[in-house]
Amino acid sequence: QVQLVESGGGLVQPGGSLRLTCAASGSYFSSSTMAWYRQAPGKERELVARITRVGSTAYADSVSGRFTISRDNTKNTVYLQMSSLKPDDTAVYYCNLRNIPTAYDYWGQGTQVTVSS
C-alpha cells in the first residue's frame, strides 16, 4: 500500500513562487515514476511534470522553463518548484506514483494553488 501526501499549496501573487512537496509511504518510491498533475475548475486533469526513477524529466509546454520537478529517494519525496506563476496556473495539484512492475498507480489528495493579485 502506498500513501501520498502533498503540501505547499496556497495563495501567491502573479510572478511569485511556490514549492510543492509530496511525501510517499511504502517501499516502491525509488523504483517508481513520480508526476505532478493539475486540474483547474471545469477542465480535465493534465500532466504538469514527470520524473522517472533514474531522474529523467518531462514537462508540459505551458510550464516548461518555469517549473522544476525533482526527487529525493532517501526521503521518499518529490518536489515541484514553481516560479513565475501565472493566474492560469491556478488549480488543484496532485501527486502521482506509477510503478510498472507492480502496476501500482496511486494519487494524493491534492493541494490547492491559487495565483491571484
Side-chain angles (χ1 to χ4, degrees), residues 26 30 32 72 79 88 98 115 117:
S30 61
S32 301
D72 185 341
Y79 306 97
D88 284 349
R98 190 161 299 176
V115 184
S117 56

Short mmCIF file of all heavy atoms in Angstrom, two decimals, residues 26 30 32 72 79 88 98 115 117:
data_model
loop_
_atom_site.label_atom_id
_atom_site.label_comp_id
_atom_site.label_asym_id
_atom_site.label_seq_id
_atom_site.Cartn_x
_atom_site.Cartn_y
_atom_site.Cartn_z
N GLY A 26 5.55 3.62 2.01
CA GLY A 26 5.67 2.37 1.29
C GLY A 26 7.06 2.15 0.72
O GLY A 26 7.96 2.97 0.88
N SER A 30 11.39 4.57 -4.84
CA SER A 30 12.61 4.72 -5.64
C SER A 30 12.52 4.02 -6.99
O SER A 30 13.26 4.37 -7.92
CB SER A 30 13.81 4.20 -4.86
OG SER A 30 13.66 2.82 -4.57
N SER A 32 9.74 3.94 -8.82
CA SER A 32 8.53 4.44 -9.48
C SER A 32 8.78 5.74 -10.21
O SER A 32 9.65 6.53 -9.82
CB SER A 32 7.42 4.65 -8.45
OG SER A 32 7.12 3.45 -7.77
N ASP A 72 13.89 13.10 -4.07
CA ASP A 72 14.90 12.68 -3.10
C ASP A 72 14.51 11.28 -2.66
O ASP A 72 13.60 11.12 -1.83
CB ASP A 72 14.94 13.66 -1.93
CG ASP A 72 16.06 13.34 -0.95
OD1 ASP A 72 16.57 12.21 -0.96
OD2 ASP A 72 16.41 14.23 -0.16
N TYR A 79 9.32 16.85 -5.39
CA TYR A 79 9.07 18.28 -5.27
C TYR A 79 8.66 18.86 -6.62
O TYR A 79 9.03 18.35 -7.68
CB TYR A 79 10.33 19.00 -4.80
CG TYR A 79 10.93 18.46 -3.52
CD1 TYR A 79 11.98 17.54 -3.57
CD2 TYR A 79 10.46 18.85 -2.29
CE1 TYR A 79 12.53 17.02 -2.41
CE2 TYR A 79 11.00 18.34 -1.12
CZ TYR A 79 12.04 17.43 -1.19
OH TYR A 79 12.59 16.93 -0.03
N ASP A 88 -3.22 31.44 -14.77
CA ASP A 88 -3.60 30.19 -15.42
C ASP A 88 -3.04 28.96 -14.72
O ASP A 88 -3.45 27.83 -15.03
CB ASP A 88 -3.13 30.18 -16.88
CG ASP A 88 -4.01 31.04 -17.78
OD1 ASP A 88 -5.09 31.47 -17.31
OD2 ASP A 88 -3.62 31.29 -18.93
N ARG A 98 3.55 5.94 -10.13
CA ARG A 98 3.26 4.85 -11.05
C ARG A 98 4.44 3.89 -11.06
O ARG A 98 5.58 4.28 -11.35
CB ARG A 98 3.00 5.39 -12.45
CG ARG A 98 2.46 4.34 -13.42
CD ARG A 98 1.83 5.03 -14.59
NE ARG A 98 0.72 5.87 -14.20
CZ ARG A 98 0.04 6.66 -15.04
NH1 ARG A 98 0.40 6.72 -16.30
NH2 ARG A 98 -0.96 7.39 -14.61
N VAL A 115 -3.23 31.53 -7.89
CA VAL A 115 -2.37 32.64 -8.30
C VAL A 115 -3.28 33.84 -8.61
O VAL A 115 -4.03 33.83 -9.58
CB VAL A 115 -1.53 32.28 -9.53
CG1 VAL A 115 -0.57 33.43 -9.86
CG2 VAL A 115 -0.77 30.98 -9.29
N SER A 117 -3.83 38.34 -7.71
CA SER A 117 -3.41 39.57 -7.04
C SER A 117 -4.52 40.09 -6.14
O SER A 117 -4.35 41.12 -5.47
CB SER A 117 -3.01 40.62 -8.08
OG SER A 117 -4.08 40.85 -8.98
#
